[in-house]
Amino acid sequence: MNPRRSTRNIKKTRYSALNADILYHLCQMMYTDKLHGLVNLSMIDKCTRTVATPFIFDSISSYWLWGKDSESRTDFKRNVEILLKNNRIISSIRTFDLYVPSTTSIPIPSAAFILLTLPRLVKLSIHVHDQHLSQFKIKFEECSKGRRPRSPFPPSLRSLDIPNENWIFLIDSFSHLEYLVVASHPCLGYEVNRKSMASYLQKLGTLHPGLRTLHCPLSFVADNIKEIARCLPDLSEIGLRGRVSHIRYRGCQFVARHIADFKMLPTLETIFFSDLPVTWISDWEDEPDTEGNPTPTLGFDLGTEEFLREIEERFLTEDGPGLKSVIVGPVVYEVDENRRLMQSSSS
């Protein structure tokens, strides 16, 4: 049979004939790889736009609502009003990032607080400097008036990302918090009081014993890990972003002395390190610093391989937690069938 002739009999399917299931999978693939392309695809026809809307507006940021002028509350209010007129969009938003430019001198627009009440909201991120904190608290209290329970947040909200411990009062307004990140963007200049953060662990454990993920600026030393295990024993993921200095152990002794205490969290599956731990070689004859610690003279990082092998030896044992992955910066290491940590193909 002539292959060129046989192709003439292939029935071509018009795009308009694709059913909603096929369009859904098409949108799902483009949402993962090319969101801009998904926006263009949604302009083809009404059916595609209906299917694509939940993907396009799954996550929004107030960054885009400011318009070109971060000093213009008029633009912000108009853009929010346009957004709220479309019920399909409102019911699609699951993640909201409240972003206020650090350069702006105006108060947070009232329209921004309306977005905290979106009915299907699951994740809330706050990227606001402390200069706006007092005004935020006042507006937040106004939004809470007359509500039962006294909170503007929808019951669906499960995740909170805040600049520092000064914003942790927001956990009081959650009906069920599962994911908490404190100071995820230290490069933005948010100041963090680590001692104050440690004092909130007890409150977290009391209000939200079902918390599954905690990322905070505490350092991963034994005392912090023990306190976290006492207050939040059911964590499945932990990320302690504070760096360690002035410790009396070198190299792998650091792993043995401190990180091994993660075994106190029996349900732990993922550990996140913003970078490899730093240890210090100290000259014990030097004058101590103001806190009585020896003066560090040289800092060095553990090698990645050495670090991972120590974790394998101390965690991937029969009596250890069911650890599934270790994340170091942007790189994910997963536990393979031989109980070894191997770099994930997706990282």
Side-chain angles (χ1 to χ4, degrees), residues 124-147:
L124 173 64
S125 297
I126 305 287
H127 292 134
V128 183
H129 280 262
D130 284 358
Q131 65 187 15
H132 297 289
L133 180 59
S134 59
Q135 184 236 344
F136 182 95
K137 286 184 175 181
I138 294 172
K139 290 287 187 180
F140 188 80
E141 183 66 22
E142 291 176 358
C143 290
S144 302
K145 287 181 179 179
R147 294 178 179 269

Side-chain angles (χ1 to χ4, degrees), residues 7-218:
T7 58
R8 296 176 184 175
N9 298 323
I10 297 177
K11 184 178 180 180
K12 295 183 179 180
T13 303
R14 291 179 178 272
Y15 179 86
S16 59
L18 298 178
N19 61 39
D21 288 339
I22 295 177
L23 289 176
Y24 177 86
H25 288 294
L26 180 61
C27 290
Q28 191 175 44
M29 289 188 294
M30 297 192 72
Y31 171 73
T32 304
D33 299 325
K34 297 179 180 179
L35 184 58
H36 182 72
L38 179 57
V39 173
N40 292 335
L41 182 70
S42 70
M43 298 178 183
I44 292 179
D45 57 32
K46 184 177 180 180
C47 182
T48 305
R49 190 154 50 250
T50 299
V51 176
T53 295
F55 293 97
I56 296 173
F57 293 97
D58 176 75
S59 175
I60 67 167
S61 171
S62 60
Y63 174 85
W64 304 108
L65 299 172
W66 285 98
K68 296 181 179 180
D69 185 4
S70 64
E71 296 294 321
S72 174
R73 280 193 290 179
T74 303
D75 286 348
F76 190 98
K77 180 181 179 182
R78 183 180 63 249
N79 291 336
V80 171
E81 288 176 347
I82 293 172
L83 192 69
L84 294 176
K85 287 180 180 178
N86 193 314
N87 290 331
R88 186 181 297 124
I89 292 177
I90 292 303
S91 62
S92 299
I93 299 172
R94 294 167 57 82
T95 300
F96 175 51
D97 177 14
L98 177 58
Y99 167 86
V100 177
S102 59
T103 55
T104 186
S105 59
I106 65 172
I108 304 172
S110 298
F113 292 87
I114 299 175
L115 300 177
L116 299 180
T117 67
L118 295 172
R120 295 190 62 206
L121 200 61
V122 174
K123 180 178 180 180
L124 173 64
S125 297
I126 305 287
H127 292 134
V128 183
H129 280 262
D130 284 358
Q131 65 187 15
H132 297 289
L133 180 59
S134 59
Q135 184 236 344
F136 182 95
K137 286 184 175 181
I138 294 172
K139 290 287 187 180
F140 188 80
E141 183 66 22
E142 291 176 358
C143 290
S144 302
K145 287 181 179 179
R147 294 178 179 269
R148 293 289 184 273
R150 193 176 175 82
S151 169
F153 295 148
S156 58
L157 196 58
R158 295 287 185 270
S159 173
L160 178 64
D161 186 335
I162 53 178
N164 56 40
E165 78 287 346
N166 293 331
W167 297 79
I168 210 164
F169 69 92
L170 290 171
I171 69 172
D172 297 345
S173 300
F174 276 73
S175 58
H176 187 66
L177 183 64
E178 296 179 355
Y179 184 101
L180 176 63
V181 177
V182 183
S184 61
H185 298 279
C187 59
L188 297 181
Y190 302 125
E191 294 184 2
V192 176
N193 185 324
R194 290 178 173 80
K195 291 183 179 179
S196 177
M197 182 64 224
S199 69
Y200 284 110
L201 292 174
Q202 181 66 51
K203 183 178 182 180
L204 267 174
T206 302
L207 290 178
H208 302 290
L211 192 73
R212 302 292 293 161
T213 298
L214 174 66
H215 288 230
C216 69
L218 294 175

